[in-house]
């Protein structure tokens, strides 16, 4: 029997700022799974709980989203732990961290030198490659969420843990579904972002989106699709290249730089040849001349930010909103404090004095597994599972997921719904 301690530093009863510090009993240093940030309603960053950097043998970073990597450079203010991640996670993560430093620098206690040190101490791994540090060994497989995202399999002195990070269990245009490795898992640490909901079948949502775009184009309108720059933008240009091969699709915002990173790491893609083709028919917006050209004619524009919180999407919205022939199709999660949520609810953005006459619609193209996909992960490992820790979800979502998982794994498995700052003591 190997006992491990898991300190929940963030992501307990909330989406984001993931941080889980694992230490096996009797072991010297511990192993950190993710160290991210999230944001309060005013857009100020919130950091996870503290861990002494010298106590961290290594950190495994599941993927490049700021809610998983945004606090990692902190670890390099006073120490130099090994940072295990894939190459796309490091490259996209660096892009997002730099953007974060630019926008929120005032609130952040690390600087360029810590980011540099993180890069220096990064050990870039391929899927399936095992790395050992102290009493720990770690390996990642594809999580299907964004390029380079990993399911993290951690062995802590003989206690086997699977940490899902953010996971998608269906195949998408750019990525295969999450790859569940055949091994026995004692403790499953699982995200629950959509623990209370089921996504409609992806192909139906995509069909509806394509039909809606077709209608707008037929009517001589322009379609704006605000999209997250990582993952969603690349999904959309792939979908649009397949469905509208004759149409010019403009791509604007940080999604351009991220697309370049996708191209530079082609072997992490499901179908590199197809993605290259999709990019070759996509028109990258290179400046104001292009930007004006994009909205002044009927066509399709994919641009960040996905929740209309900023970026060129906001510029396009102002230009296109007044004409009922145009459309704004939202395809990303819209937090309740976002302009995207406001226009879907009320058809206006009060802070901008903007009334939207263009067609408005939301499509569910999530990059997270729905409840059924999450339950299937627990089902897959049920023969060996002793503990399930449900994190990265609101209360509703994790409670609902816990009920559903309980009905699949039976009563002998411990299910935990920890809050931040809680320490779990887990046995195998
Ligand atoms: Zn996340
Ligand atoms: Zn994510």
């Amino acid at each position: 029997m190997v006992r491990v301690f898991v300190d929940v530093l963030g992501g307990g009863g909330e989406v984001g700022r993931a941080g889980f510090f694992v230490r096996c009993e009797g072991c010297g240093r511990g192993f950190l799974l993710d160290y991210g940030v999230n944001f309060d309603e005013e857009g100020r960053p919130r950091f996870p709980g503290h861990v002494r950097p010298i106590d961290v043998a290594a950190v495994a970073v599941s993927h490049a989203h700021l809610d998983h990597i945004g606090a990692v450079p902190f670890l390099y203010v006073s120490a130099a732990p090994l940072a295990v991640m894939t190459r796309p996670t490091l490259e996209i993560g660096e892009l997002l961290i730099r953007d974060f430093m630019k926008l929120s620098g005032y609130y952040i206690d690390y600087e360029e030198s810590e980011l540099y040190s993180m890069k220096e101490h990064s050990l870039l791994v391929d899927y399936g490659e095992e790395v050992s540090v102290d009493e720990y060994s770690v390996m990642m497989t594809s999580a299907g969420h964004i390029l380079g995202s990993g399911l993290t399999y951690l062995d802590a002195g003989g206690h086997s843990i699977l940490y899902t990070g953010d996971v998608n269990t269906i195949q998408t245009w750019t990525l295969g579904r999450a790859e569940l490795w055949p091994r026995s898992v004692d403790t499953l640490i699982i995200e629950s972002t959509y623990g209370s909901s089921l996504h409609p079948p992806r192909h139906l949502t995509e069909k509806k989106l394509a039909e809606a775009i077709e209608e707008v184009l037929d009517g001589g309108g322009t379609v704006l699709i605000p999209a997250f720059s990582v993952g969603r933008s690349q999904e959309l240009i792939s979908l649009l290249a397949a469905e509208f091969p004759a149409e010019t699709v403009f791509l604007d915002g940080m999604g351009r730089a991220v697309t370049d990173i996708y191209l530079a790491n082609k072997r992490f893609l499901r179908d590199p040849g197809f993605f290259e083709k999709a990019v070759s028919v996509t028109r990258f917006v290179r400046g104001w001349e292009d930007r004006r050209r994009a909205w002044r004619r009927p066509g399709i524009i994919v641009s960040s930010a996905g929740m209309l919180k900023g970026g060129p999407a906001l510029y396009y919205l102002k230009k296109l909103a007044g004409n009922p022939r145009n459309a704004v199709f939202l395809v990303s999660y819209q937090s309740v404090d976002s302009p995207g949520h406001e226009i879907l609810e009320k058809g206006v953005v009060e802070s901008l004095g903007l009334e939207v006459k263009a067609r408005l619609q939301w499509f569910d193209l999530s990059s997270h597994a729905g409840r059924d996909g999450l339950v299937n992960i627990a089902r897959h490992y049920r023969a060996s599972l002793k503990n399930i820790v449900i994190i990265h979800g609101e209360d509703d979502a994790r409670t609902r997921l816990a009920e559903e998982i309980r009905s699949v794994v039976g009563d002998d498995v411990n299910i935990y719904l920890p809050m931040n700052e809680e320490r779990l003591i887990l046995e195998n």
Side-chain angles (χ1 to χ4, degrees):
M1 197 255 306
V2 179
R3 189 176 283 159
V4 295
F5 308 102
V6 178
D7 290 330
V8 178
L9 305 174
E14 61 179 353
V15 171
R17 64 167 166 174
F20 310 96
F21 187 56
V22 178
R23 196 168 60 79
C24 37
E25 193 174 35
C27 299
R29 299 188 292 177
F31 197 103
L32 186 58
L33 298 166
D34 282 344
Y35 208 39
V37 298
N38 61 10
F39 297 88
D40 68 12
E41 264 125 58
E42 271 83 57
R44 287 179 302 233
R46 296 190 303 178
F47 295 94
H50 184 67
V51 56
R52 289 203 317 173
I54 52 160
D55 293 334
V56 180
V59 53
V61 184
S62 68
H63 67 287
H65 280 146
L66 281 180
D67 63 319
H68 297 258
I69 199 176
V72 172
F74 270 132
L75 303 170
Y76 298 87
V77 171
S78 60
L82 192 66
V84 181
M85 65 186 100
T86 64
R87 181 176 291 279
T89 296
L90 179 62
E91 292 182 358
I92 300 169
E94 184 183 357
L95 189 74
L96 298 185
I97 288 172
R98 283 189 191 286
D99 188 55
F100 176 48
M101 287 165 74
K102 213 158 58 191
L103 295 175
S104 309
Y106 176 78
Y107 301 102
I108 309 174
D109 286 335
Y110 61 74
E111 291 175 358
E112 184 65 34
S113 55
E114 283 76 36
L115 175 59
Y116 180 80
S117 181
M118 178 190 94
K119 283 165 60 182
E120 286 286 287
H121 294 93
S122 290
L123 181 65
L124 302 181
V125 290
D126 279 326
Y127 293 141
E129 187 182 338
E130 194 116 27
V131 172
S132 296
V133 194
D134 293 2
E135 294 89 347
Y136 305 88
S137 69
V138 67
M139 190 267 289
M140 287 183 180
T141 63
S142 171
H145 173 61
I146 59 170
L147 196 76
S149 62
L151 299 176
T152 307
Y153 292 85
L154 174 69
D155 185 279
H159 187 118
S160 157
I161 295 171
L162 164 57
Y163 167 58
T164 64
D166 291 348
V167 58
N168 200 3
T169 48
I170 60 162
Q171 176 181 300
T172 58
W173 285 92
T174 49
L175 303 174
R177 65 169 65 111
E179 201 186 326
L180 298 174
W181 201 251
R183 74 155 66 175
S184 81
V185 171
D186 301 318
T187 295
L188 170 66
I189 305 178
I190 188 168
E191 69 127 319
S192 57
T193 316
Y194 288 96
S196 59
S197 47
L198 300 170
H199 301 305
R202 176 61 61 102
H203 67 278
L204 290 184
T205 309
E206 291 181 346
K207 189 160 165 262
K208 270 194 208 154
L209 173 62
E211 283 166 3
I213 292 172
E214 185 103 64
E215 284 163 20
V216 177
L217 294 177
D218 285 350
T222 304
V223 180
L224 168 63
I225 311 181
F228 295 148
S229 55
V230 184
R232 206 66 44 88
S233 291
Q234 293 73 31
E235 275 294 304
L236 283 163
I237 62 170
S238 305
L239 165 71
L240 296 169
E243 295 284 347
F244 301 94
E247 203 59 53
T248 309
V249 176
F250 287 89
L251 176 66
D252 204 348
M254 213 193 338
R256 294 166 302 177
V258 176
T259 300
D260 286 337
I261 297 176
Y262 268 56
L263 276 179
N265 291 279
K266 282 199 281 276
R267 64 201 173 82
F268 287 86
L269 289 162
R270 183 175 68 77
D271 185 346
F274 175 74
F275 188 72
E276 263 176 319
K277 219 169 82 194
V279 173
S280 72
V281 299
T282 301
R283 178 90 171 260
F284 283 40
V285 174
R286 302 278 181 205
W288 284 100
E289 190 66 25
D290 271 1
R291 206 157 276 150
R292 278 189 287 272
R293 200 170 291 146
W295 67 265
R296 280 196 173 138
R297 53 194 276 294
I300 310 168
I301 305 165
V302 176
S303 176
S304 56
M307 300 189 206
L308 290 166
K309 278 186 173 174
L314 216 47
Y315 162 81
Y316 293 118
L317 177 70
K318 288 180 200 157
K319 296 295 181 191
L320 298 170
N323 187 341
R325 273 212 300 236
N326 298 328
V328 180
F329 292 153
L330 294 155
V331 293
S332 303
Y333 168 76
Q334 307 293 319
S335 67
V336 285
D337 58 339
S338 66
H341 189 266
E342 193 184 351
I343 65 168
L344 284 174
E345 292 279 295
K346 304 186 214 154
V348 295
V349 185
E350 266 160 25
S351 56
L352 302 173
L354 195 70
E355 191 190 340
V356 183
K357 298 201 178 88
R359 176 172 168 178
L360 283 168
Q361 219 167 319
W362 182 76
F363 297 87
D364 182 355
L365 292 180
S366 178
S367 54
H368 289 264
R371 189 177 65 231
D372 46 354
L374 295 169
V375 169
N376 275 336
I377 298 174
R379 181 180 287 123
H380 189 88
Y381 291 107
R382 98 185 125 172
S384 61
L385 274 179
K386 306 285 188 304
N387 312 289
I388 299 175
V389 183
I390 303 181
I391 44 85
H392 198 289
E394 303 292 342
D395 251 330
D396 260 18
R398 62 179 191 162
T399 317
R400 192 64 221 282
L401 180 64
E403 289 166 9
E404 207 71 24
I405 285 181
R406 172 65 75 203
S407 71
V408 167
V409 299
D411 291 333
D412 295 337
V413 180
N414 304 308
I415 299 182
Y416 300 89
L417 287 78
M419 294 307 289
N420 291 339
E421 293 174 38
E422 229 171 275
R423 165 171 288 189
L424 303 174
I425 302 171
L426 306 174
E427 296 177 344
N428 63 355

